[in-house]
Amino acid sequence: MTSGTAFLIGTPEYFLKNKGKVVVMFRQGGDDVIKFRKKKRFPTPEHEVLPEELQSHGQENLCFTSDLEQNQLKLERIFQGNMDMVYQYIRKEGEARWLILYFSSLVDEKALNDHIIAPLVAASAQQEQVASTSVTPWDDQIISIGKTMTVRKVADLVQLLLNGHAAIFHKDHDTALVAQVNGIAKRSLEESSSEPAIRGPKDGFIENLNVNMGLIRSRIKTPRLKMESLTIGELTQTKVVITFITGLATETMIEEVRRKLEQIQTDGILETGYIEEFIEEYSFSPFPQVNTTERPDVAVAALLDGKIAILVDTTPFVLIVPMTFWSGMQASEDFYNRKSISTFVRWIRFLFIVMAIFAPPLYVAITTFHQEMIPTNLVLSIASSREDVPFPAIIEALFTEIVFEALREAGIRLPKQLGSAISIIGALVIGQAAVEAGIISAPVVIIVSITGIAAFTIPRYSFANGIRLLRFPMLILAGTLGLYGIVLGFIGIVLHVMSLRSFGVPYFSPIFPLSLKSFKRFVTRPPKIKKPSPH
């Protein structure tokens, strides 16, 4: 390599776009020689937050100096092309005393002005100078921000600035004082839109991790509640928090959650669904092995049951592990209403989950292969309704199911004011028109409508999606093999569910292995046992 002074050219966006290709300019005498290094991806997770400038030639250990302009130049080379990066000097008698750096899009500028800039301006106007032996006195004497720290390495400061901190340099110090002044806009606490409840707390998680941690901490007031933090995503650097209660959650499960999260290697995490796919063992199963919730009371109830919650920054959904078949059928209101009402509602859910899977396949199998099982009057009624229908029952049912799912999806994607109206009117109009045109029969419309309603009774959205998906293979088996196909499909579903594990816990746990006490607990809502009075 030609000897001389080398420096780097290019913005962080250039390095990402060109997959790490770096342009290096060597200055030799009065000539500039441009060389291109080979493409190089970020080598290890330890350097995942560092721009290419800091990874080259071991500059990840590059430190600051007491020269404010040199410190600014180092950061400008890293953050060039970012118009929201602010470099602000505070001067006294024309001499730069302090340099403040921050991203205007990430900090609370009012807090920055009130607690950092204004006190420094006032201090610089005073005749006495601040002691220059350490930056620590700034925290005590001038800056009124609670959470501060000192940083010496450029790489450490880069990450802190990208997380919404502000850095303050003093002309006589080679370290930066970093203050936390995060100011990303967040919405207020609202009721969960995905898990509405008539009775129970009305607050829901939001996209701010600190707020979500506070919602859990305010409900469990014990030092046994632990919250461990880690960062996932080479580019997004998403903060993830593992929450559990020591003594209730097993050490084996806690270690398993830590291990699976630490093994995640990806460019970014935008939602909990990303993490769910990485940590579940059976990704092709229609049944989710990780529960999700938007309600703090559901997450707290799971923690009190010995489970582990995973909170992810920038999303209101919290992951709960392990998940079982029975937790997918439970709603928070089961524990807020009276025992008899909750038990009745649970039995309704169990009945309708069977209808959600088997109602259309049974109709297709019986009307196609086993007409002798239907009472005579009902057979005549079905036959007269299907007299003008040109398609077999299997095609008729599949077509109706697909149209119903399309209307359901359209109702979700349309604006809130139009979604429900369009889905209801569309189902009525299309269903009535299809029956009158002789494309489908009225019994199929009734069966599919009942099946759709049955799927809505399942409390967990991800669990209900798996049940919806099972209808289609069951329809095909029923249309080709009749009741034998339904029996084979049922056996396959049972064997699959029995083989599932969620973080080592059987999916049908704790009922299987068979336990009468656990069976009564999950099929009915047991009464709360009063503790004996100490008096």
Side-chain angles (χ1 to χ4, degrees):
M1 180 180 290
T2 307
S3 61
T5 304
F7 57 95
L8 300 169
I9 305 173
T11 64
E13 291 83 356
Y14 173 87
F15 299 133
L16 297 179
K17 181 178 179 182
N18 293 277
K19 299 182 179 179
K21 181 187 289 185
V22 184
V23 184
V24 184
M25 176 178 288
F26 292 94
R27 177 158 295 172
Q28 187 174 16
D31 300 327
D32 292 336
V33 182
I34 297 178
K35 300 223 179 246
F36 291 88
R37 287 179 53 189
K38 293 182 179 180
K39 292 183 178 180
K40 182 179 179 182
R41 291 293 292 171
F42 299 129
T44 60
E46 289 80 8
H47 298 108
E48 58 191 6
V49 300
L50 302 183
E52 193 76 24
E53 294 95 324
L54 294 180
Q55 296 179 33
S56 302
H57 308 295
Q59 293 189 62
E60 63 271 12
N61 295 318
L62 185 66
C63 296
F64 292 109
T65 67
S66 58
D67 190 324
L68 298 182
E69 294 183 355
Q70 287 294 327
N71 293 338
Q72 178 181 348
L73 183 60
K74 292 175 183 178
L75 293 170
E76 280 182 343
R77 288 175 178 172
I78 298 172
F79 292 119
Q80 59 180 320
N82 292 285
M83 53 82 62
D84 56 339
M85 184 67 186
V86 178
Y87 305 88
Q88 182 171 348
Y89 282 93
I90 296 179
R91 304 177 183 274
K92 181 180 180 181
E93 298 176 355
E95 180 187 10
R97 295 285 304 278
W98 284 282
L99 170 62
I100 305 173
L101 303 93
Y102 59 91
F103 277 98
S104 60
S105 57
L106 296 178
V107 303
D108 183 350
E109 294 197 79
K110 184 179 185 305
L112 181 72
N113 290 327
D114 294 344
H115 300 286
I116 296 179
I117 296 178
L120 288 178
V121 170
S124 65
Q126 296 176 357
Q127 296 298 323
E128 302 86 12
Q129 293 187 356
V130 180
S132 60
T133 57
S134 172
V135 295
T136 306
W138 296 356
D139 186 25
D140 300 328
Q141 300 177 11
I142 301 177
I143 298 175
S144 56
I145 289 287
K147 192 172 182 180
T148 60
M149 61 185 298
T150 57
V151 174
R152 183 177 179 83
K153 292 184 179 181
V154 177
D156 295 337
L157 183 61
V158 167
Q159 168 136 9
L160 291 169
L161 290 173
L162 291 171
N163 278 284
H165 292 66
I168 305 108
F169 290 95
H170 189 271
K171 69 179 185 67
D172 296 325
H173 298 282
D174 58 358
T175 55
L177 182 69
V178 181
Q180 185 175 353
V181 282
N182 309 67
I184 300 177
K186 58 178 181 280
R187 62 186 174 97
S188 58
L189 297 181
E190 301 172 354
E191 184 180 1
S192 168
S193 58
S194 61
E195 300 174 73
I198 297 175
R199 182 172 183 178
K202 299 299 182 181
D203 55 345
F205 290 121
I206 63 172
E207 290 77 9
N208 187 279
L209 182 60
N210 289 329
V211 173
N212 295 342
M213 293 166 61
L215 289 173
I216 293 178
R217 182 75 71 179
S218 64
R219 287 171 164 84
I220 304 179
K221 301 178 178 67
T222 172
R224 292 169 58 189
L225 176 65
K226 307 300 180 182
M227 294 187 176
E228 299 178 359
S229 175
L230 67 155
T231 303
I232 304 177
E234 294 183 6
L235 303 181
T236 59
Q237 286 294 292
T238 306
K239 182 179 277 190
V240 178
V241 173
I242 306 171
T243 307
F244 56 91
I245 300 177
T246 55
L248 298 182
T250 63
E251 286 296 327
T252 304
M253 191 179 302
I254 295 171
E255 287 298 326
E256 181 71 5
V257 172
R258 288 195 193 111
R259 182 184 65 82
K260 288 191 174 183
L261 290 177
E262 290 171 355
Q263 287 179 348
I264 296 177
Q265 298 292 331
T266 182
D267 287 340
I269 298 292
L270 303 181
E271 214 276 331
T272 51
Y274 285 55
I275 294 180
E276 183 178 352
E277 283 196 48
F278 280 113
I279 64 177
E280 65 181 2
E281 297 180 14
Y282 308 90
S283 57
F284 294 102
S285 172
F287 294 96
Q289 297 109 61
V290 179
N291 202 357
T292 59
T293 183
E294 206 178 354
R295 295 175 57 105
D297 57 323
V298 173
V300 168
L303 293 174
L304 294 174
D305 203 27
K307 298 183 179 181
I308 300 173
I310 302 172
L311 287 69
V312 181
D313 199 11
T314 72
T315 176
F317 289 93
V318 171
L319 301 179
I320 298 173
V321 294
M323 181 183 182
T324 64
F325 179 89
W326 309 104
S327 61
M329 296 294 294
Q330 289 181 347
S332 59
E333 285 183 288
D334 292 352
F335 302 93
Y336 303 149
N337 292 322
R338 296 178 61 82
K339 172 183 177 295
S340 56
I341 298 298
S342 298
T343 301
F344 172 74
V345 171
R346 281 192 182 182
W347 277 99
I348 290 293
R349 291 197 199 110
F350 294 142
L351 173 64
F352 272 80
I353 192 176
V354 174
M355 295 184 65
I357 300 175
F358 296 106
L362 280 172
Y363 171 81
V364 170
I366 291 174
T367 56
T368 304
F369 299 100
H370 312 281
Q371 296 90 346
E372 68 278 2
M373 298 179 62
I374 311 176
T376 304
N377 292 336
L378 184 56
V379 168
L380 294 175
S381 175
I382 294 174
S384 63
S385 66
R386 297 196 73 251
E387 185 177 0
D388 298 329
V389 177
F391 306 109
I394 176 64
I395 301 299
E396 187 183 2
L398 281 173
F399 172 76
T400 310
E401 286 282 2
I402 291 172
V403 171
F404 181 86
E405 293 296 332
L407 287 171
R408 176 176 176 172
E409 186 68 15
I412 295 174
R413 303 304 164 198
L414 284 170
K416 187 176 181 180
Q417 294 80 1
L418 301 176
S420 58
I422 293 297
S423 58
I424 295 172
I425 295 173
L428 292 174
V429 172
I430 293 176
Q432 183 67 25
V435 171
E436 292 179 356
I439 299 175
I440 58 176
S441 60
V444 168
V445 175
I446 296 172
I447 293 294
V448 171
S449 300
I450 294 175
T451 305
I453 295 172
F456 286 119
T457 63
I458 301 174
R460 300 295 161 208
Y461 180 74
S462 59
F463 191 76
N465 285 338
I467 300 301
R468 289 164 55 195
L469 191 61
L470 288 175
R471 290 204 299 264
F472 294 96
M474 291 298 297
L475 270 173
I476 296 173
L477 288 172
T480 54
L481 300 176
L483 289 178
Y484 299 105
I486 294 178
V487 172
L488 289 174
F490 174 73
I491 294 174
I493 292 173
V494 171
L495 291 177
H496 174 70
V497 173
M498 296 293 288
S499 66
L500 289 179
R501 296 287 188 276
S502 176
F503 287 82
V505 177
Y507 207 61
F508 255 82
S509 175
I511 292 181
F512 290 101
L514 189 61
S515 169
L516 182 61
K517 182 178 179 181
S518 299
F519 182 80
K520 291 173 61 178
R521 175 189 173 191
F522 283 94
V523 174
T524 64
R525 208 275 277 167
K528 296 178 176 62
I529 301 175
K530 296 181 180 179
K531 291 185 177 181
S533 175
H535 303 290

